[in-house]
Amino acid sequence: MTTVEKLTAERLLKIKAVKLQPSNPFTWASGWQSPIYCDNRKLMSYPETRNFIKVEFARVILEKYPQVEAIAGVATGAIAPGALVADVLGLPFVYVRSAPKGHGLENLIEGDLKPKQKVVVVEDLVSTGGSSLKAVEAIRNGGSDVIGMVAIFTYDFPKAKTAMKESRVELTTLTTYDAILDEALRIDYIAESELKTLQDWRKNPEGWGEIIKK
């Protein structure tokens, strides 16, 4: 675990942007039962954490993608952090909707993205990778080049890793599921006895809810 992964995990847990409840699982919109819930929109209410994320995103982008010409946030959770890092870097910002507007210009991409621009996509959270890669597809269909993606947090699902590889998208995250578990254990947020449950969920998130009912 890197220092940045640890510090990011520490901050997300502190402001309860990430919650862990192995004995009282959450139900996601997909219907999955999960011992973890992540809402990174919360970090916008905490200036210290918000600035930390902004600065770390900028650092990663400058180190890995110095040729970047525009930043694209994935709606809705990554609009704010994407705009913040675009401001730090002095770059144009756009955001990508999950579906086109049903009125007016019916835009899928909001803002002014020029063809052939080199774009870094900003995400707040990567789970299966589906919504993230829909945004990548929209940008590519518009004639621009996605040179990388950065996100605050990933569950590190194998499905997402495979999808990113197949779509030729390099993903860099500030922290990971394993880093969250390590930090949660260190600060006694979770007990050692709960660790296996949390690890088992990541291996089979779709079927985990049915397994724990048995």
Side-chain angles (χ1 to χ4, degrees):
M1 178 169 57
T2 68
T3 300
V4 171
E5 287 174 342
K6 180 183 184 301
L7 291 173
T8 306
E10 179 184 287
R11 283 161 170 74
L12 296 183
L13 289 167
K14 183 178 181 180
I15 66 172
K16 297 182 170 61
V18 172
K19 295 183 178 181
L20 299 167
Q21 294 181 184
S23 59
N24 184 25
F26 301 96
T27 301
W28 285 5
S30 62
W32 289 7
Q33 293 289 296
S34 169
I36 182 171
Y37 188 76
C38 179
D39 181 7
N40 284 327
R41 293 173 181 82
K42 273 193 152 190
L43 66 87
M44 291 298 117
S45 298
Y46 296 86
E48 184 181 346
T49 300
R50 181 179 71 212
N51 288 333
F52 173 83
I53 297 298
K54 174 181 70 177
V55 169
E56 288 304 319
F57 267 161
R59 178 188 60 78
V60 168
I61 292 168
L62 287 174
E63 286 180 0
K64 297 182 72 93
Y65 312 110
Q67 71 273 43
V68 61
E69 296 173 323
I71 301 294
V74 180
T76 57
I79 292 176
L84 286 171
V85 74
D87 190 55
V88 170
L89 298 174
L91 292 172
F93 175 72
V94 302
Y95 71 86
V96 187
R97 294 176 174 274
S98 57
K101 278 197 304 186
H103 60 278
L105 297 177
E106 298 187 348
N107 292 334
L108 184 59
I109 299 175
E110 297 289 0
D112 192 8
L113 189 61
K114 303 287 195 302
K116 298 184 180 179
Q117 278 189 309
K118 294 178 173 60
V119 181
V120 170
V121 175
V122 174
E123 260 288 24
D124 68 314
L125 167 69
V126 173
S127 53
T128 62
S131 59
S132 307
L133 291 174
K134 279 179 66 177
V136 169
E137 182 181 14
I139 293 166
R140 287 173 172 168
N141 287 344
S144 296
D145 181 18
V146 174
I147 59 175
M149 181 184 295
V150 296
I152 299 169
F153 173 60
T154 176
Y155 292 113
D156 273 335
F157 291 147
K159 180 178 181 179
K161 291 181 179 180
T162 299
M164 292 287 173
K165 184 176 181 180
E166 290 176 348
S167 297
R168 297 172 287 105
V169 175
E170 181 183 34
L171 172 65
T172 303
T173 63
L174 299 185
T175 197
T176 65
Y177 187 67
D178 286 338
I180 289 284
L181 296 190
D182 286 349
E183 182 61 18
L185 194 61
R186 187 188 71 81
I187 64 175
D188 295 324
Y189 185 117
I190 58 172
E192 185 81 43
S193 59
E194 295 175 304
L195 192 57
K196 186 176 186 302
T197 298
L198 288 155
Q199 291 170 334
D200 286 346
W201 169 78
R202 204 250 307 270
K203 295 174 186 174
N204 182 21
E206 294 172 272
W208 182 82
E210 292 303 316
I211 293 171
I212 62 171
K213 289 177 184 177
K214 295 178 181 178

